[in-house]
């Protein structure tokens, strides 16, 4: 928003972001919309000018504008979204946190115990697909009383992945896996709770059918204590329109 104000609009600029994320969560890509009203006689910015100008003023910040599109007045970055995709990165094979590669620190989660039963996690993930009351899988906040707990999970995938420069330390027996979730919208901390429950299945602390039972309880207090995944491994991958 400060970078956009440097473009000298005649009306203060307000950004409308598609999704908010918890502290410590990353975004590979996010979306926002804004209106820029220029002084009379000055032409509207084209997309390339806007990208270049905003990035010039964003140089000190860990954020870059990748694309810009002209949209209709009815468009809203948050309410026009058809779906949002999150990716959670897990690191297996670590017996101690000191074994996490330094370039991956704060960019993944290495659960205690090292290895996880991935087939059991994949079985458990199927219970999350579709439309459910996700009350057990949300943390409570000020919006909870005004927000429906009904959500539709369109996609859940658990697949092997690669780490940054991981081919240089293949001999260490470290494995990266990604959990991908897609839905029109998610509840507060829902993805981190779903990941934590699936990891508990992978550790043998829960059986796959326990995911179904947690959904049916519909009570956030029934969620296993200390099972929520940390924010460091979570990435907002994309917002689809």
């Amino acid at each position: 928003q400060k970078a956009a104000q440097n473009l000298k609009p005649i009306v203060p600029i307000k950004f409308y972001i598609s999704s908010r994320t918890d502290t410590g969560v990353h975004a590979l890509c996010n979306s926002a919309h804004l209106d820029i009203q220029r002084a009379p006689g000055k032409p509207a910015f084209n997309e390339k000018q806007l990208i270049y100008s905003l990035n010039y003023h964003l140089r000190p910040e860990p954020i870059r504008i990748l694309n810009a599109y002209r949209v209709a007045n009815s468009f809203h970055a948050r309410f026009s979204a058809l779906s949002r995709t999150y990716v959670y990165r897990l690191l297996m094979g670590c017996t101690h946190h000191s074994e996490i590669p330094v370039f991956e620190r704060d960019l993944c989660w290495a659960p205690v115990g090292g290895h996880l039963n991935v087939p059991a996690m994949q079985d458990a993930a199927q219970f999350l697909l579709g439309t459910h009351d996700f009350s057990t899988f949300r943390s409570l906040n000020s919006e909870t009383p005004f927000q429906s707990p009904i959500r539709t999970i369109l996609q859940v995938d658990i697949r092997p992945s690669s780490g940054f420069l991981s081919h240089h330390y293949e001999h260490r027996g470290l494995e990266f896996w990604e959990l991908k979730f897609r839905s029109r919208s998610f509840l507060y901390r829902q993805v981190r709770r779903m990941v934590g429950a699936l990891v508990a299945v992978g550790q043998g602390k829960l059986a796959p059918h326990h995911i179904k039972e947690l959904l049916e309880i519909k009570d956030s207090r029934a969620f296993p204590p200390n099972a929520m995944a940390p924010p460091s491994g979570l990435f907002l991958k994309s917002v689809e329109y």
Side-chain angles (χ1 to χ4, degrees):
Q1 198 156 290
K2 286 180 182 175
Q5 285 302 136
N6 285 319
L7 304 181
K8 298 183 172 59
I10 58 173
V11 176
I13 285 176
K14 169 73 175 162
F15 263 84
Y16 296 88
I17 308 288
S18 74
S19 300
R20 294 174 299 167
T21 57
D22 301 342
T23 301
V25 174
H26 316 283
L28 296 169
C29 189
N30 204 342
S31 313
H33 79 262
L34 70 159
D35 297 308
I36 301 180
Q37 196 170 335
R38 304 197 74 190
K42 290 205 167 187
F45 288 108
N46 65 40
E47 287 90 335
K48 283 188 176 178
Q49 287 174 325
L50 198 57
I51 294 168
Y52 178 86
S53 301
L54 288 173
N55 282 332
Y56 177 83
H57 294 293
L58 285 168
R59 282 178 302 174
E61 304 296 336
I63 182 173
R64 291 296 176 268
I65 307 302
L66 303 176
N67 290 297
Y69 305 92
R70 193 177 303 280
V71 291
N73 284 339
S74 58
F75 178 86
H76 194 287
R78 180 179 175 189
F79 301 117
S80 300
L82 299 177
S83 65
R84 294 162 173 83
T85 301
Y86 280 88
V87 168
Y88 198 99
R89 301 181 69 236
L90 291 175
L91 174 58
M92 301 183 201
C94 288
T95 54
H96 189 267
H97 66 81
S98 62
E99 296 175 9
I100 299 173
V102 68
F103 294 111
E104 294 285 358
R105 192 177 297 161
D106 298 325
L107 298 173
C108 63
W109 177 28
V112 174
H115 287 281
L116 300 171
N117 182 344
V118 174
M121 294 169 64
Q122 290 169 328
D123 289 344
Q126 299 310 303
F127 291 114
L128 298 170
L129 276 172
T131 303
H132 305 283
D133 182 321
F134 281 95
S135 292
T136 307
F137 288 88
R138 70 169 167 187
S139 294
L140 304 181
N141 67 0
S142 59
E143 293 180 6
T144 302
F146 312 104
Q147 203 174 41
S148 168
I150 308 297
R151 291 293 185 273
T152 300
I153 302 296
L154 302 167
Q155 180 183 11
V156 183
D157 284 333
I158 303 176
R159 296 182 179 177
S161 181
S162 59
F164 181 64
L165 299 174
S166 58
H167 56 286
H168 288 293
Y169 49 80
E170 284 172 335
H171 63 284
R172 292 173 56 187
L174 302 179
E175 290 181 15
F176 285 90
W177 288 77
E178 285 186 2
L179 286 72
K180 183 194 286 186
F181 301 87
R182 184 165 62 90
S183 174
R184 183 154 190 252
S185 62
F186 294 91
L187 298 166
Y188 181 50
R189 293 181 175 168
Q190 180 185 347
V191 176
R192 289 171 58 194
R193 283 190 165 219
M194 291 190 296
V195 170
L198 293 175
V199 165
V201 169
Q203 294 171 323
K205 295 176 181 176
L206 297 176
H209 69 85
H210 285 135
I211 300 299
K212 183 172 183 284
E213 292 173 9
L214 286 171
L215 281 168
E216 290 169 350
I217 292 170
K218 303 175 186 175
D219 186 346
S220 63
R221 294 168 297 184
F223 189 77
N226 305 314
M228 183 167 65
S232 53
L234 184 57
F235 296 75
L236 174 61
K237 183 189 178 190
S238 56
V239 184
E240 294 81 35
Y241 296 95

